């Protein structure tokens, strides 16, 4: 048992039994003052009260030590409903026997003529109720403690599961991104070796970023946009004038944390499914704003002509993973939607609530 828990337990025992003894002594004083009777036994009755409090404290402490009461909170209610009354009755009976011994032969508060079966049963029932209150208080504290521990464990498991899922999703995004880059370089090797060399240089920069991205799951938007620019430069070598890029980034958004690889995945998706599939090419636009307490981020692109077959290895895994990571890192209020309702523009819209 931890030292803090020991101190709390000791304070509760001393406080509970001490309060019981003090209230009884005060009642005795009040009784003597109002009736002018019993004053001759005040010292004996006070001693009896103090000794009974010590006895009660010791008895409940021994019961707590010998009986696995802390484990009772995990028992079925039916079994607990049987254990609690039996334990309280046994403790109450022992306490009553101690009280009788102190009251009759030791302190001589009562005489033989006061001894009766009803007196014994009534006193035993009283002490059983006192022990019941003690036991219910003890079990309530442990029920609350167990509920809190269960809640903490549930949160720990959720965090562990989310961390594992995030790592899995990120591990899928990086090879996906590098695979597309390598395809771009491969296409240039035969067509234009000089540009292929430039592409390899750009790719090395991106690889360096990929290797260093095993750190935090979120990065400032400015850092994410720099990676996007490197990637677009690489694609620009391959697509030449077919790729046009426009940035409309609000300065106040540059420091906002976004999931690493989020914008990169959206731009990569725009190139793969839009610009690269269009003979005359098109434009990719990256727009960021802060509106109504949230970061709004859009990546829009010229869509592929109607009827164009989907590119190979196109199963929507990149967008799905990006959406899941966004939800896990930024909460249920974050969203990623792909708007394909317009014939001239496909837009991926991201909303990330900002902290108040």
């Amino acid at each position: 048992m931890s030292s803090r828990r020991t101190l709390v337990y000791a304070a509760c025992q001393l406080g509970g039994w001490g309060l019981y003894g003090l209230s009884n002594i005060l009642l005795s004083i009040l009784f003597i003052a109002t009736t002018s009777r019993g004053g001759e036994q005040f010292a004996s009755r006070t001693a009896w009260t103090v000794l009974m409090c010590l006895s009660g404290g010791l008895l409940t402490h021994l019961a707590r030590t010998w009986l696995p009461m802390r484990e009772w909170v995990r028992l079925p209610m039916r079994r607990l409903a049987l254990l609690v009354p039996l334990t309280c009755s046994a403790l109450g009976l022992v306490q009553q026997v101690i009280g009788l011994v102190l009251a009759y032969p030791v302190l001589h508060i009562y005489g033989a003529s006061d001894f009766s079966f009803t007196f014994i049963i009534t006193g035993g029932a009283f002490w059983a109720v006192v022990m019941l209150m003690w036991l219910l208080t003890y079990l309530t504290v442990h029920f609350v403690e167990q509920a809190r521990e269960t809640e903490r464990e549930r949160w720990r498991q959720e965090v562990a599961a989310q961390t594992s899922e995030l790592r899995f999703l990120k591990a899928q995004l990086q090879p996906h991104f590098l695979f597309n880059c390598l395809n771009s370089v491969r296409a240039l090797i035969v067509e234009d070796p000089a540009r292929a060399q430039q592409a390899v240089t750009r790719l090395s920069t991106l690889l360096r970023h990929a290797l260093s991205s095993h750190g935090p799951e979120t990065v400032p938007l400015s850092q994410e946009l720099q990676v996007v620019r490197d990637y677009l430069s690489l694609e620009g070598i391959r697509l030449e004038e077919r790729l046009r890029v426009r940035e409309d980034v609000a300065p106040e958004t540059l420091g906002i944390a976004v999931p690493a690889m989020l914008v990169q995945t959206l731009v990569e998706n725009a190139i793969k499914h839009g610009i690269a599939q269009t003979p005359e090419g098109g434009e990719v636009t990256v727009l960021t704003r802060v509106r109504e307490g949230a970061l709004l981020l859009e990546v829009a692109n010229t869509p592929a002509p109607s009827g164009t077959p989907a590119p190979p290895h196109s199963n929507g895994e990149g967008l799905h993973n990006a959406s899941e990571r966004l939800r896990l890192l930024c909460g249920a209020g974050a969203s990623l939607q792909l708007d394909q309702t317009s014939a001239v523009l496909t837009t991926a819209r991201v909303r990330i609530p900002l902290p108040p």
Side-chain angles (χ1 to χ4, degrees):
M1 188 165 61
S2 66
S3 58
R4 180 179 176 276
R5 185 177 290 177
T6 303
L7 288 175
V8 172
Y9 167 74
C12 290
Q13 282 283 73
L14 291 174
W17 287 107
L19 183 63
Y20 169 79
L22 184 61
S23 61
N24 274 274
I25 293 172
L26 290 176
L27 286 174
S28 296
I29 295 173
L30 184 63
F31 177 77
I32 294 170
T34 55
T35 63
S36 300
R37 291 185 300 162
E40 67 281 0
Q41 285 193 330
F42 177 72
S44 300
R45 288 183 179 276
T46 301
W48 182 85
T49 300
V50 172
L51 290 174
M52 289 304 291
C53 289
L54 294 175
S55 168
L58 179 62
L59 192 60
T60 50
H61 179 72
L62 292 177
R64 172 181 167 276
T65 304
W66 290 339
L67 300 176
M69 288 183 178
R70 288 184 59 190
E71 303 300 322
W72 287 10
V73 295
R74 295 183 176 86
L75 294 177
M77 289 305 295
R78 184 177 297 178
R79 188 174 175 189
L80 195 61
L82 180 64
L83 271 177
V84 169
L86 287 176
T87 304
C88 294
S89 300
L91 292 175
L93 181 60
V94 173
Q95 181 76 344
Q96 171 66 349
V97 170
I98 295 172
L100 291 175
V101 170
L102 290 173
Y104 283 90
V106 177
L107 298 173
H108 304 291
I109 297 174
Y110 300 111
S113 59
D114 300 319
F115 194 86
S116 69
F117 181 74
T118 304
F119 185 78
I120 296 174
I121 295 300
T122 304
F126 170 78
W127 285 114
V129 171
V130 172
M131 295 301 173
L132 177 63
M133 293 173 62
W134 178 88
L135 187 54
L136 289 180
T137 304
Y138 183 84
L139 291 178
T140 300
V141 170
H142 283 286
F143 269 122
V144 172
E145 187 181 58
Q146 188 197 31
R148 288 179 177 173
E149 182 58 33
T150 301
E151 184 69 10
R152 283 195 291 268
E153 181 61 27
R154 187 177 68 82
W155 278 104
R156 280 195 288 268
Q157 290 178 357
E158 285 188 5
V159 169
Q162 287 188 355
T163 302
S164 176
E165 189 174 357
L166 282 170
R167 288 174 180 169
F168 173 74
L169 293 172
K170 196 173 181 180
Q172 284 191 323
L173 282 176
Q174 288 173 342
H176 188 255
F177 155 65
L178 294 176
F179 173 78
N180 286 337
C181 290
L182 286 173
N183 270 346
S184 299
V185 174
R186 181 175 62 87
L188 282 173
I189 290 175
V190 177
E191 298 172 5
D192 192 337
R195 284 183 175 274
Q197 288 183 347
Q198 296 178 32
V200 169
T201 303
R202 293 286 184 184
L203 180 57
S204 68
T205 303
L206 292 170
L207 282 172
R208 191 178 302 113
H209 165 75
L211 290 174
S212 63
S213 63
H214 291 286
E217 293 290 346
T218 60
V219 295
L221 179 62
S222 58
Q223 182 177 333
E224 177 73 4
L225 289 178
Q226 186 56 51
V227 177
V228 170
R229 292 181 188 114
D230 288 337
Y231 172 74
L232 287 173
S233 298
L234 179 63
E235 290 291 4
I237 294 172
R238 180 171 68 96
L239 298 171
E240 299 180 329
E241 67 276 3
R242 289 173 59 205
L243 174 62
R244 298 178 292 280
V245 179
R246 184 168 69 89
E247 279 191 19
D248 186 359
V249 178
E252 65 270 22
T253 63
L254 292 175
I256 298 175
V258 299
M261 306 288 290
L262 172 64
V263 187
Q264 162 60 35
T265 301
L266 300 181
V267 170
E268 182 184 325
N269 195 65
I271 298 288
K272 183 177 179 181
H273 295 271
I275 310 303
Q277 302 296 312
T278 308
E280 65 275 17
E283 182 176 87
V284 174
T285 302
V286 179
L287 179 146
T288 66
R289 292 286 186 274
V290 173
R291 286 177 186 162
E292 299 177 353
L295 169 67
L296 304 180
L297 191 152
E298 291 185 1
V299 175
N301 66 276
T302 306
S306 178
T308 303
H313 309 291
S314 175
N315 54 11
E317 185 180 56
L319 277 183
H320 171 74
N321 288 353
S323 179
E324 285 299 299
R325 291 184 69 239
L326 182 66
R327 179 182 61 81
L328 291 172
L329 288 170
C330 303
S335 62
L336 167 57
Q337 296 177 334
L338 186 63
D339 182 0
Q340 295 177 298
T341 55
S342 171
V344 296
L345 208 61
T346 296
T347 305
R349 294 189 177 89
V350 173
R351 182 181 184 278
I352 300 177
L354 300 178

